[in-house]
Amino acid sequence: MIYQTAESINDGRAFLKIDEFIKNNSVYVKIENMNPGGSIKIKTAIALVDAAEKNLDLKNKKHVIESSSGNLGIALSIICAARKYNFTCIVDKNTLPHTIKVMKAYGAEVIIIETPHPERGYLGARLDYIKKRLVSDNSLVWTNQYESSANREAHARLTARELLNEFPVIDYLFIAAGTTGTLMGCVQTVTEATPATKIIAVDTKGSVIFGTPSAPRYIPGMGASVLPPLFDSKNLFDMVQVSEKETVQTCRLFARRYGFLVGGSTGTVLTAIRDYSPKIPAGSVVVMISPDGGERYIDTIYSDEWCLQKGLLQLQSSTSRNTFSGAVVE
């Protein structure tokens, strides 16, 4: 059967070296969009389903329910289809229409939450919906990416080891924060293997993960309106937040300057590296993870109409060498 183990999907050797983005250093990007489903989340999905089969009687109940902003939903749709389970994904209005269509193509049921929780945002509303469904339907199995240790362990065992196999010495490692499974898994393994590595967690402004107030966010894939139970800042060297407007600028700049079409999380982390670069000594090994590609963001991050509607672009009459689609990168 396909997708039986996470080790079978990717040998983890896809890296891109980017020169002349920050002064005195190259940036090495671990590319995860060549995995099935187009993102790093296939590793998480396999681990979550494995754990549910082992601990939650999934093989008998045969119906998975999960909340997702996008990539995990696609990954779980794939795994559930391959293992002959029903899958219900709870998303919200910020989930990309393309993502919803892909999940449905794999046979998933998709429930869209239209109204955010007054204090805990769309994520809080999605989680409340799941909890109500679990009470009314005991055939459902919640994989719970937000609390399951399988989320963290998948990346401790796979993603972190893939990084270290390529770079035995990493000076600075930048990782996006969402459920923080990837982040915490890498922290677990990397800090044990190479204690000198400085791990920088990156989040988007408006997210509560780093203890800042919640605010509206429009780009799915990172950040949270509810503090992730997996998150622990103890072994982090630093934490950086980036505005969604900066993310849009960086994504578009990379497409035009480097021929690298990146997703929102990747653009956010690249922005953080650029802003942090004055603190990074020359000759450092700087590594980051790119969770997915930019193709599924064509109608959002790369759409002037959508970005203007969300207040993420400001058209200017002046131009510079970094001009794209009517907006200017400073």
Side-chain angles (χ1 to χ4, degrees):
M1 185 186 295
I2 60 174
Y3 309 132
Q4 279 291 76
T5 66
E7 285 85 353
S8 67
I9 60 172
N10 186 352
D11 65 4
R13 296 176 61 188
F15 285 83
L16 178 68
K17 179 184 178 185
I18 300 176
D19 296 320
E20 300 179 357
F21 176 60
I22 61 174
K23 189 175 181 180
N24 298 323
N25 291 293
S26 299
V27 177
Y28 297 91
V29 184
K30 188 178 192 309
I31 304 296
E32 294 282 351
N33 69 318
M34 289 182 284
N35 292 318
S39 82
I40 196 172
K41 292 293 188 178
I42 198 73
K43 303 174 192 177
T44 308
I46 292 176
L48 291 173
V49 172
D50 284 348
E53 289 176 340
K54 181 179 179 181
N55 303 317
L56 300 174
D57 199 26
L58 176 58
K59 288 184 178 180
N60 289 318
K61 293 187 175 183
K62 296 187 180 301
H63 194 159
V64 171
I65 189 168
E66 184 57 275
S67 157
S68 174
S69 62
N71 284 332
L72 182 71
I74 291 176
L76 279 172
S77 298
I78 293 170
I79 303 307
C80 287
R83 299 193 187 183
K84 297 180 173 55
Y85 297 135
N86 295 318
F87 175 49
T88 298
C89 190
I90 315 305
V91 302
D92 60 56
K93 290 174 65 177
N94 286 333
T95 303
L96 303 177
H98 175 267
T99 296
I100 293 172
K101 292 178 182 177
V102 171
M103 286 190 278
K104 288 183 176 179
Y106 285 114
E109 176 191 24
V110 181
I111 305 295
I112 304 173
I113 301 299
E114 300 285 346
T115 305
H117 186 281
E119 296 176 356
R120 297 182 293 124
Y122 278 115
L123 177 55
R126 296 193 329 242
L127 296 178
D128 286 348
Y129 179 89
I130 288 178
K131 291 171 184 177
K132 289 178 182 177
R133 285 287 301 270
L134 291 172
V135 170
S136 63
D137 186 350
N138 62 10
S139 72
L140 293 171
V141 174
W142 182 20
T143 46
N144 196 356
Q145 63 163 323
Y146 309 97
E147 297 190 48
S148 175
S149 61
N151 185 353
R152 178 184 64 242
E153 293 302 323
H155 299 288
R157 179 169 53 89
L158 296 171
T159 307
R161 287 297 170 193
E162 292 159 4
L163 289 167
L164 293 171
N165 286 343
E166 190 74 16
F167 299 100
V169 176
I170 300 174
D171 296 307
Y172 290 83
L173 176 59
F174 289 77
I175 305 176
T179 65
T180 69
T182 302
L183 173 64
M184 291 294 99
C186 289
V187 167
Q188 178 179 315
T189 297
V190 173
T191 54
E192 180 179 344
T194 59
T197 299
K198 298 175 176 63
I199 301 178
I200 317 294
V202 182
D203 197 10
T204 185
K205 291 181 179 178
S207 168
V208 304
I209 298 174
F210 298 163
T212 53
S214 178
R217 292 174 293 111
Y218 304 105
I219 300 174
M222 60 183 299
S225 54
V226 178
L227 183 64
L230 294 174
F231 181 64
D232 184 350
S233 62
K234 180 175 62 177
N235 290 316
L236 296 175
F237 181 77
D238 209 345
M239 298 181 289
V240 178
Q241 284 189 314
V242 173
S243 73
E244 289 190 324
K245 187 175 290 188
E246 292 175 293
T247 292
V248 167
Q249 290 182 337
T250 300
C251 288
R252 290 170 166 228
L253 171 64
F254 258 73
R256 295 296 180 90
R257 182 182 290 179
Y258 296 99
F260 184 18
L261 199 67
V262 302
S265 298
T266 302
T268 303
V269 176
L270 284 165
T271 304
I273 292 174
R274 181 199 64 201
D275 294 346
Y276 207 84
S277 61
K279 302 178 184 179
I280 301 176
S284 296
V285 177
V286 181
V287 181
M288 63 165 284
I289 298 170
S290 175
D292 64 5
E295 291 81 1
R296 63 190 56 172
Y297 301 90
I298 288 296
D299 293 327
T300 54
I301 290 173
Y302 296 97
S303 163
D304 282 359
E305 182 180 4
W306 184 87
C307 289
L308 288 168
Q309 182 186 41
K310 303 300 184 184
L312 302 180
L313 275 186
Q314 184 173 4
L315 296 181
Q316 300 181 22
S317 58
S318 61
T319 59
S320 74
R321 66 187 180 92
N322 295 332
T323 299
F324 49 78
S325 300
V328 177
V329 177
E330 299 297 336

